[in-house]
Amino acid sequence: MITMAGHKASRRERIKKGIRKHLAGSTERPRLSVFRSNKGIYAQIIDDVAGKTLVSASSASKDFTASGNKVDQSKAVGKLVAEKAVAAGISKVVFDRNGYLYHGRIKSLAEGAREGGLDF
């Protein structure tokens, strides 16, 4: 017997593997990876060649001050990660939705990152 929670998690993992087959971050164009939980949203810019996280931001970090609903907070996290990336000299990234649908909080984070100056 398969529970719904296990089914949803395994479905997301399958989608994630399929996306990552065709997607990789390089030094010139690192990967913007997104993770969402019920309480927060997290974004990292990763150089897969070197295996290092270059920039990160989350709704749980100390420098995050936005309020409102989860969609508004996601947009603010996108802007925050974009500001940090531009300060680090990164302007072009590859967007990795990490198996989530491009809808709601994931979409608003992407829009916030584009408004902040990232190109993808």
Side-chain angles (χ1 to χ4, degrees):
M1 179 154 61
I2 299 174
T3 62
M4 278 305 281
H7 177 68
K8 286 183 179 183
S10 65
R11 179 181 177 274
R12 188 179 78 82
E13 287 299 319
R14 256 185 312 144
I15 293 170
K16 180 179 172 181
K17 283 182 182 179
I19 290 170
R20 289 297 308 276
K21 282 182 189 176
H22 306 286
L23 186 85
S26 63
T27 306
E28 302 83 34
R29 200 169 176 122
R31 177 171 55 98
L32 172 59
S33 180
V34 177
F35 174 76
R36 72 173 171 82
S37 67
N38 288 337
K39 291 186 177 183
I41 191 154
Y42 310 86
Q44 292 181 329
I45 297 181
I46 304 164
D47 180 4
D48 288 323
V49 176
K52 291 187 178 182
T53 299
L54 306 173
V55 176
S56 67
S58 74
S59 59
S61 65
K62 293 179 182 177
D63 55 346
F64 182 75
T65 58
S67 61
N69 61 17
K70 292 178 186 177
V71 174
D72 295 337
Q73 289 181 2
S74 299
K75 193 166 195 170
V77 169
K79 288 181 182 178
L80 181 63
V81 76
E83 289 172 8
K84 289 181 177 183
V86 170
I90 301 166
S91 61
K92 292 186 176 189
V93 295
V94 177
F95 188 68
D96 177 13
R97 58 189 175 91
N98 213 4
Y100 300 108
L101 295 177
Y102 187 78
H103 180 269
R105 292 194 281 163
I106 303 298
K107 184 177 179 181
S108 68
L109 187 138
E111 289 171 354
R114 284 188 184 108
E115 288 177 13
L118 288 181
D119 181 32
F120 56 92

